[in-house]
Amino acid sequence: MTIQSSRTEDAGAPRTRATILLAAIRFVFLRVGVLPFFLVFSLIVFSLISNQFLSIQNLTNVARQSVYLVLVSLGQMLVLITGGFDLSVGTAIAMTSVVSAMAMVALAPVMPDMIWLAILLGAGAGLGAALLIGCLNGLGIAQFDVSPFIMTLGVQSVGAGIALFLTGGVPISGLPYDFGNFFGFGRVLGIPVPVMIALLAIVGIWLLMNRTKLGSHIYAVGGNVRAANLSGVNTKRVLFLAYVLCAMLASLAGLLLTARVESGETNLGGTIALESIAACVIGGVSLRGGLGRVENVVLGAFFIVLLQNGMNIAQIGSYMQMVLLGSLLVLAVILDQFRYRMLVGDR
């Protein structure tokens, strides 16, 4: 072997490793999106700021806090995959909180010996209010072809106004103790009840999207609505059900939040529409529709809460946190556009 060939091999080795690394980064980016890169960056930065950031206690606390955003993000994922989005998820949470609290406060004195029946009826009333919101969104978008932005923004405004009218802007207190004690702070088999409900919802949505005809139809509608329609898919029904399911998952989060704060409040979920869209986009759900995985969205929601937790540890103010979260969403959308073009180019 000559000296020249030896030098060539030595120079080629780093180049080969760099090529493999770039190929791996490209594969991860196309497969998952920007989430792994954001997650690694935030873990490094915040762990340098505080030794407590990666502690088991802090990560467990983040997991508990992420339950509500996970539920809403799962619903947001469904409508994003169809090519739309839902700005009214915060209103669904507020209406659920207000209506369920009012119903429980009214029914508890009437049936003191059947308090769980009062709780179930109150929860049912809250879920019914959110169901109405989902039906309105679904009908407007699927049946009358209204833009998802206009429809969900209008419903959000109407729902918020009704919630404020019902309460006068004052939180509703006096909920049954058992409701908050079980759904807010209770445990089953050592697992917090909100976490268990979120796990069941994650499994249910994963099965829906990967093992049912409705799930494949949701992907088909988001991929190409005209082609799906020509293939015999009832696109209007699929769109309607997607928005209904989104509202119901947000309503479930609203019930758990109401149990957590032990009062019915109109300001619950005020920023959750932005946060859920950010969690989905960071988790690899395309704003163009047709792309998205349940497990990535769950991790995306966990990342958003982890980021907020890290910013709190770093003592970043709430206003600046809004600026950073909004900037992160814009960056994620820009990178999503690059990812989409790369995916289309590969085809």
Side-chain angles (χ1 to χ4, degrees):
M1 181 181 293
T2 65
I3 296 176
Q4 183 66 29
S5 62
S6 177
R7 288 176 179 176
T8 303
E9 288 182 5
D10 291 341
R15 196 173 302 167
T16 303
R17 287 195 292 269
T19 303
I20 294 173
L21 179 61
L22 288 174
I25 291 174
R26 186 176 188 275
F27 174 79
V28 172
F29 179 64
L30 291 177
R31 181 72 175 175
V32 184
V34 298
L35 176 59
F37 310 101
F38 283 177
L39 188 59
V40 170
F41 178 78
S42 62
L43 288 174
I44 293 172
V45 171
F46 292 124
S47 60
L48 290 175
I49 292 174
S50 172
N51 295 330
Q52 298 299 317
F53 179 70
L54 291 179
S55 66
I56 298 298
Q57 182 179 0
N58 188 57
L59 293 178
T60 302
N61 184 45
V62 170
R64 288 176 180 170
Q65 292 176 347
S66 66
V67 162
Y68 317 106
L69 183 57
V70 165
L71 289 171
V72 179
S73 299
L74 287 173
Q76 192 74 252
M77 179 197 70
L78 297 178
V79 296
L80 282 171
I81 289 176
T82 66
F85 51 84
D86 192 346
L87 299 177
S88 66
V89 287
T91 293
I93 289 175
M95 285 293 293
T96 298
S97 180
V98 167
V99 172
S100 61
M102 291 179 68
M104 289 181 201
V105 169
L107 291 172
V110 178
M111 46 183 70
D113 297 329
M114 296 182 291
I115 197 66
W116 275 105
L117 179 59
I119 290 173
L120 291 175
L121 290 174
L127 291 170
L131 177 62
L132 180 60
I133 290 174
C135 289
L136 287 174
N137 285 331
L139 283 174
I141 294 166
Q143 194 66 37
F144 299 103
D145 202 26
V146 181
S147 163
F149 174 79
I150 297 299
M151 190 68 211
T152 58
L153 183 64
V155 169
Q156 184 269 340
S157 179
V158 171
I162 293 174
L164 288 168
F165 174 78
L166 291 173
T167 63
V170 179
I172 300 170
S173 58
L175 275 69
Y177 171 79
D178 291 336
F179 174 65
N181 185 53
F182 183 75
F183 290 104
F185 305 95
R187 290 176 177 267
V188 175
L189 302 175
I191 303 173
V193 170
V195 174
M196 179 166 286
I197 291 174
L199 289 174
L200 291 174
I202 291 168
V203 173
I205 297 300
W206 188 89
L207 290 173
L208 171 72
M209 298 304 292
N210 295 281
R211 294 292 185 269
T212 68
K213 187 180 294 185
L214 176 60
S216 61
H217 286 177
I218 288 174
Y219 281 114
V221 168
N224 190 322
V225 65
R226 290 185 179 180
N229 198 28
L230 291 173
S231 300
V233 176
N234 189 340
T235 55
K236 291 183 178 181
R237 174 178 172 272
V238 171
L239 285 171
F240 177 80
L241 290 177
Y243 282 91
V244 168
L245 287 172
C246 180
M248 297 310 293
L249 285 165
S251 180
L252 190 57
L255 282 174
L256 295 177
L257 278 169
T258 303
R260 185 75 177 178
V261 301
E262 298 183 313
S263 64
E265 301 189 18
T266 58
N267 61 354
L268 288 179
T271 61
I272 206 161
L274 170 65
E275 293 170 358
S276 62
I277 293 173
C280 289
V281 175
I282 291 170
V285 180
S286 175
L287 291 176
R288 296 173 180 266
L291 291 174
R293 297 167 65 89
V294 172
E295 54 271 28
N296 293 348
V297 169
V298 173
L299 191 56
F302 179 82
F303 166 73
I304 294 293
V305 179
L306 186 72
L307 181 66
Q308 293 171 335
N309 175 265
M311 288 190 291
N312 287 332
I313 290 176
Q315 297 182 345
I316 297 175
S318 59
Y319 300 142
M320 186 54 63
Q321 288 189 26
M322 294 173 64
V323 172
L324 293 174
L325 184 59
S327 302
L328 190 67
L329 175 58
V330 172
L331 178 61
V333 171
I334 292 172
L335 293 173
D336 175 68
Q337 299 299 319
F338 283 113
R339 177 172 174 251
Y340 179 80
R341 291 171 189 168
M342 292 171 69
L343 286 169
V344 171
D346 287 349
R347 293 172 187 172

